[in-house]
Amino acid sequence: MPALTVLCVVLCGLVLGLGAGVTVGAADSDTAGDLKSWGSLSDGNETQTEIMLAESTFDDSDYDDPDIVVTFHGNVIPGEQASAEETPVEPTITADGEPVRIFSGGVAKIESDVPVTVDGDPVEISNDGTTMVTSGENGGQELFVGDDGTIQAEDENGDPVSAEADGTLVEYEHYDESEFVVEFDGTDNISEGERLSANIEVTNVGYDDTETGGKLYGVDTDGSYDNVRIGGVEMFNIPGGESAGPETFERNLEEGDHQIDELRFDLDSEQFTESINVTEAEIAITEFETNEPIEGEDLVVEAEFERFGELDLGYREATFSVDGEEQESTALNLVPTETTSEEFVYETSSDDGSALDIEVEVPGDSNVERTDVPLVSQEEHNESMSANITNEPAANLSEELEVETEIDYHGDVPDGETVVPTTFLVDGSVANETNVTVEDGAPTDVTFATELDEDTVPVTSVTVETPGRSDTVEFARAVTTDVSVNDPFASNESLEAIVEIENDGDTPEVVNVTVSVDDPASVKSDGSESRELSVNASETIEAEFTFEPTDHASSQIEVTAETDDSSETATTNRPMFKIETVELEGADDAGSGLTMSGNVTNTGEIPDTQTIQFTLDGELVTEKNVTLDPDESETVSADIDPPEEDGEYGFGMTANNETATAGESAEGSAEINVSGTSLLDRLSSLALPLLLLGLLVIGVIALKYRDDPQAFKRRIATAKSTVQSTVQGVVGGGGSVIVENGLPRDSTVRIQVKDANGVVFQEDLQLADGEQREFPSLPDGGQFEVGVGVDDVASHSEVFQGPIDSVGVVLQPDGITIAEL
């Protein structure tokens, strides 16, 4: 209410004649938005509405009840809670032109202190907030507004009785008037290009029915933008106390509509307005921040950009300028409602002076953010900072080392306070970094701490650094290491190393000890073991490290104990296996295998088992384990595969898996012949079965004279001369007999060829291991027999049908093979 605050007595039973409905008018042709309409405001039945007596504001010491206003909701509402939309026009309830008010005790009176009565009975406000006659014949009757606007109650016969004050009728003088209240909704957060959707609800807070119509406009209160017609509606018969709507009026906001700052609803001759904020379709800078760098550091500007509206903005970019000079730009490709952050960086220098003019702009939208950023000389700034350690830190294991420090700034602090980058270092390594704020030259106390445990000791120094002056506290420390081993030890014994750690320093230590053997192949682990050992000041401790040797363990092993500060080495020995007279058999026989052997002696003081390695041309080919007592010797041999090509090859045997030395290995070399082709390679698989035939007489001579080589030679010479004279005409005739000694020794052989006429060729000869000989002695045609005899191998023969190019004969330990090649 503009001037009066009303107090009231509830009047009930008012019967208002309401119209049967509301007729909706047609839309105007110039409506910019959609024309909306309201539905029926009444159901056609009579409606009773409670009314309350209201009073004007005045000063009366007798008045102690709360303000009361008239509503259409059947309840008495205190004035502090009542909205203007719920308050009818004033003055409201009067008698002889004077407003009715409520006095102490809830009695209704006019301003001249005359009580309001019904048939002489006073009108009071009841406990439930209604207004009624409280005594007399009409006691308990509620009041209502009559058809003529007078305040009435019903007597016992149901007839109306008017309320009076000093003989003057009490009346509601605005009973035949309408009062409209318009409510707006849905007008927040709207941008150009989007669709404005405004909801309008009209309430008649008066008592009279009305017929009216309205139009909605978008208005620029500055007058620089033409009003925009959004829509219109015709409304009929809005009864008092009832509402029409809400109804929606819509418009697609266009470019320029951001200048609309108010919605205006014209209802008959009245205008109702609501503020509205239409955001321009643009990219706006919604956040803008900069750091305050020291000279030479980067100036960093962070800006947030937000896309408003649905209109097509085309190309947009953001520019960054320093002192009026553009430094960089970046394209802004944003969809409606999208937000993005951009960072702009400028490297400051001594040429920039004491301040920088910073600007970020979206040129297409004329959105600009600008600020001045001060610069301080880096050198001056750094020199003003200092750190001072104020306590004597105690370094104890398993406790927290605390370092109390004053961080100060000497001279005037820029802008009253500054941030000092401070670093806490332990043994030169950064343990903590923090920015300490110092105000107006007063030092700031900071405590740095580090946990002294197995991961952090030993600690030799702590330092607190600033860009200016720093402070350091140093700790004395001295740790020595010694190592001893069991010497000698056998292969079946463990290698034990005892490490002694002595701490002569001032602070406890956690010492990282690594014990390793020089040849990892000598032990079953990786040859190294590490431990962390805690040792207090003035304390000595011992730790035992154990390694299990392998079969290849070296005869002499170095064990090294290392810490961060020292390294100590001890040597242990295993029994020495000496190798002598290494030999290689079969090197000159292309058809035989190779056998390497040597004499192995344990020259040590305890029994041991060691691995003997056999090498050919520097490559390991096989190995054997040998167990020997002290001073015991044994010949050790192994068969090895020959190489792929002829040549001079070195061979050797080594004990303890070590490089050959004079006392531990032996070597030799030999010309190995592998190029000769065995007849077995030339014989087909079908011709390889052994031909175990009956004994030939030609073997008898060899067997008889085997034990008398000289007699055998003389007998062979005589036999050879006889046979050669017999077959003089045959030798050099048809194909050849090719014979090969596949026995692992020199052998005496007799070759004999005979046909139907008798012996055509016979030869006694000696063949070395692997040696091969050829004799062109086969008949030109017909059937013939080839026989072979050896001194201690059963003789064999084979029959062939000529002509044949060649017959192969191979002497083997398990028999003689004769076949066509």
Side-chain angles (χ1 to χ4, degrees):
M1 279 176 199
L4 299 177
T5 303
V6 290
L7 299 172
C8 71
V9 179
V10 177
L11 307 177
C12 303
L14 174 61
V15 178
L16 298 178
L18 300 178
V22 175
T23 302
V24 178
D28 295 338
S29 59
D30 60 346
T31 301
D34 297 331
L35 181 61
K36 295 296 181 180
S37 63
W38 276 288
S40 174
L41 298 177
S42 172
D43 59 4
N45 299 320
E46 292 185 346
T47 302
Q48 178 171 300
T49 304
E50 292 185 359
I51 274 190
M52 301 183 185
L53 299 179
E55 72 159 10
S56 61
T57 301
F58 59 91
D59 184 13
D60 192 311
S61 59
D62 292 332
Y63 175 71
D64 57 9
D65 290 312
D67 293 345
I68 303 298
V69 299
V70 176
T71 74
F72 297 100
H73 306 297
N75 296 312
V76 178
I77 300 178
E80 292 180 355
Q81 300 178 16
S83 64
E85 291 80 358
E86 297 173 317
T87 307
V89 293
E90 58 182 339
T92 55
I93 308 302
T94 61
D96 198 19
E98 293 187 70
V100 174
R101 60 189 177 91
I102 303 299
F103 281 77
S104 299
V107 179
K109 298 180 182 180
I110 62 174
E111 193 164 333
S112 58
D113 203 20
V114 176
V116 176
T117 63
V118 174
D119 279 348
D121 297 327
V123 174
E124 297 179 1
I125 184 166
S126 66
N127 291 333
D128 63 0
T130 61
T131 305
M132 58 176 45
V133 182
T134 60
S135 61
E137 293 182 357
N138 300 296
Q141 296 297 316
E142 294 186 2
L143 302 181
F144 57 90
V145 179
D147 293 341
D148 58 356
T150 60
I151 307 304
Q152 303 173 1
E154 293 182 352
D155 62 12
E156 57 184 6
N157 298 320
D159 297 326
V161 181
S162 298
E164 297 180 350
D166 196 19
T168 303
L169 293 176
V170 178
E171 62 182 355
Y172 177 49
E173 62 185 57
H174 301 291
Y175 76 97
D176 58 351
E177 297 178 4
S178 297
E179 178 74 11
F180 296 106
V181 175
V182 176
E183 293 184 358
F184 297 79
D185 189 23
T187 59
D188 299 331
N189 301 322
I190 190 72
S191 299
E192 289 178 340
E194 297 177 354
R195 189 167 181 83
L196 170 64
S197 181
N199 299 317
I200 305 294
E201 182 176 42
V202 178
T203 302
N204 181 4
V205 297
Y207 284 81
D208 191 33
D209 295 352
T210 188
E211 293 183 1
T212 185
K215 296 179 182 179
L216 183 65
Y217 294 90
V219 178
D220 175 14
T221 57
D222 292 337
S224 60
Y225 191 66
D226 293 338
N227 293 346
V228 176
R229 171 79 176 276
I230 297 177
V233 67
E234 294 182 2
M235 299 174 293
F236 300 95
N237 297 329
I238 303 180
E242 296 196 13
S243 300
E247 290 297 327
T248 302
F249 299 84
E250 296 184 328
R251 170 183 171 80
N252 290 328
L253 295 177
E254 302 172 356
E255 184 176 0
D257 282 352
H258 69 278
Q259 300 174 75
I260 297 174
D261 56 11
E262 185 178 83
L263 290 179
R264 190 186 74 208
F265 189 65
D266 293 351
L267 189 64
D268 286 342
S269 60
E270 293 186 84
Q271 292 183 340
F272 301 88
T273 62
E274 177 82 0
S275 296
I276 185 172
N277 180 28
V278 179
T279 306
E280 182 179 3
E282 63 176 357
I283 295 179
I285 304 173
T286 55
E287 291 186 16
F288 179 75
E289 295 181 354
T290 71
N291 65 336
E292 294 186 358
I294 305 302
E295 179 187 279
E297 297 179 350
D298 286 343
L299 167 69
V300 180
V301 178
E302 294 183 353
E304 186 173 280
F305 301 89
E306 184 173 355
R307 168 79 150 83
F308 291 95
E310 298 283 349
L311 298 181
D312 183 7
L313 298 181
Y315 177 76
R316 289 289 191 274
E317 66 177 6
T319 61
F320 169 58
S321 300
V322 178
D323 291 338
E325 182 178 348
E326 183 177 322
Q327 302 297 320
E328 61 176 297
S329 64
T330 182
L332 300 175
N333 299 314
L334 301 178
V335 298
T337 72
E338 184 180 5
T339 299
T340 186
S341 295
E342 296 291 341
E343 182 178 272
F344 304 95
V345 179
Y346 174 76
E347 184 179 353
T348 64
S349 68
S350 58
D351 297 333
D352 289 322
S354 60
L356 298 172
D357 178 16
I358 306 304
E359 178 183 281
V360 173
E361 180 181 12
V362 183
D365 295 318
S366 300
N367 288 321
V368 180
E369 290 287 346
R370 180 180 289 110
T371 188
D372 289 332
V373 179
L375 279 180
V376 178
S377 166
Q378 182 70 58
E379 181 179 0
E380 179 183 358
H381 186 66
N382 289 347
E383 288 179 353
S384 299
M385 302 176 185
S386 68
N388 180 35
I389 298 176
T390 58
N391 68 331
E392 295 180 0
N396 297 312
L397 189 63
S398 300
E399 295 182 4
E400 193 174 68
L401 174 67
E402 294 187 346
V403 180
E404 299 174 2
T405 311
E406 287 183 348
I407 305 300
D408 203 357
Y409 193 96
H410 303 280
D412 294 332
V413 178
D415 297 327
E417 71 174 28
T418 190
V419 174
V420 179
T422 306
T423 304
F424 177 51
L425 301 99
V426 178
D427 287 342
S429 298
V430 175
N432 188 13
E433 292 181 305
T434 185
N435 290 327
V436 180
T437 300
V438 178
E439 298 180 354
D440 295 327
T444 300
D445 293 329
V446 180
T447 299
F448 296 97
T450 183
E451 186 72 25
L452 296 184
D453 54 23
E454 286 77 5
D455 296 326
T456 57
V457 295
V459 175
T460 59
S461 67
V462 290
T463 301
V464 180
E465 286 186 350
T466 72
R469 283 165 283 178
S470 305
D471 199 6
T472 299
V473 173
E474 295 184 351
F475 302 94
R477 57 184 296 267
V479 176
T480 58
T481 305
D482 191 23
V483 60
S484 60
V485 294
N486 55 328
D487 182 34
F489 75 101
S491 298
N492 59 353
E493 294 179 341
S494 299
L495 170 59
E496 297 178 353
I498 307 297
V499 178
E500 182 181 271
I501 306 294
E502 183 177 359
N503 182 7
D504 291 328
D506 299 331
T507 177
E509 303 266 356
V510 173
V511 182
N512 293 311
V513 180
T514 299
V515 177
S516 58
V517 298
D518 60 338
D519 181 10
S522 295
V523 294
K524 294 180 180 179
S525 65
D526 61 2
S528 178
E529 183 180 347
S530 298
R531 295 183 197 169
E532 286 186 345
L533 303 176
S534 300
V535 54
N536 292 317
S538 303
E539 182 182 19
T540 300
I541 63 172
E542 289 185 350
E544 180 177 312
F545 295 78
T546 302
F547 300 93
E548 297 299 326
T550 64
D551 294 338
H552 304 156
S554 303
S555 61
Q556 188 177 75
I557 300 176
E558 287 188 355
V559 179
T560 301
E562 291 184 293
T563 68
D564 295 336
D565 304 309
S566 63
S567 177
E568 294 293 331
T569 299
T571 302
T572 184
N573 296 276
R574 294 180 61 215
M576 177 75 72
F577 275 28
K578 182 179 180 180
I579 302 176
E580 299 176 309
T581 319
V582 63
E583 295 180 349
L584 183 67
E585 298 181 6
D588 56 352
D589 187 349
S592 68
L594 299 178
T595 300
M596 190 184 308
S597 62
N599 187 51
V600 181
T601 303
N602 181 359
T603 61
E605 300 176 356
I606 59 176
D608 200 14
T609 299
Q610 295 191 17
T611 300
I612 307 301
Q613 295 183 320
F614 297 79
T615 60
L616 182 64
D617 200 27
E619 299 292 333
L620 177 67
V621 292
T622 190
E623 54 188 16
K624 286 188 175 182
N625 289 334
V626 178
T627 301
L628 297 175
D629 291 330
D631 297 326
E632 182 182 4
S633 297
E634 181 179 323
T635 298
V636 181
S637 64
D639 294 333
I640 62 176
D641 296 330
E644 296 181 356
E645 298 180 357
D646 294 348
E648 184 75 19
Y649 291 88
F651 58 90
M653 293 170 59
T654 303
N656 301 325
N657 199 30
E658 289 190 346
T659 304
T661 61
E664 299 162 351
S665 65
E667 295 181 346
S669 63
E671 180 72 28
I672 299 177
N673 175 25
V674 296
S675 62
T677 302
S678 171
L679 286 182
L680 291 176
D681 297 330
R682 297 172 59 187
L683 296 175
S684 67
S685 59
L686 295 176
L688 287 180
L690 295 178
L691 305 178
L692 300 178
L693 305 176
L695 291 177
L696 293 176
V697 179
I698 58 176
V700 176
I701 298 176
L703 295 175
K704 181 178 180 180
Y705 293 94
R706 183 173 53 188
D707 296 330
D708 188 353
Q710 294 300 323
F712 177 73
K713 289 181 180 180
R714 290 192 299 271
R715 179 68 183 87
I716 286 297
T718 303
K720 179 180 179 180
S721 175
T722 303
V723 171
Q724 284 180 342
S725 61
T726 306
V727 298
Q728 187 68 33
V730 177
V731 175
S736 299
V737 175
I738 302 174
V739 61
E740 179 180 294
N741 183 12
L743 300 174
R745 65 183 187 283
D746 293 349
S747 299
T748 301
V749 183
R750 166 170 290 183
I751 304 298
Q752 184 182 74
V753 180
K754 61 182 179 179
D755 60 7
N757 298 318
V759 174
V760 297
F761 172 78
Q762 182 171 302
E763 180 74 16
D764 293 326
L765 64 153
Q766 282 190 314
L767 294 177
D769 180 10
E771 185 178 359
Q772 186 181 108
R773 300 277 293 277
E774 181 176 358
F775 300 96
S777 57
L778 298 180
D780 289 337
Q783 182 172 296
F784 62 90
E785 182 183 68
V786 176
V788 181
V790 185
D791 51 1
D792 58 356
V793 177
S795 300
H796 300 281
S797 66
E798 181 65 60
V799 177
F800 301 93
Q801 184 68 41
I804 292 177
D805 290 336
S806 57
V807 172
V809 177
V810 181
L811 311 180
Q812 299 175 88
D814 54 355
I816 299 174
T817 299
I818 303 174
E820 180 181 356
L821 294 176

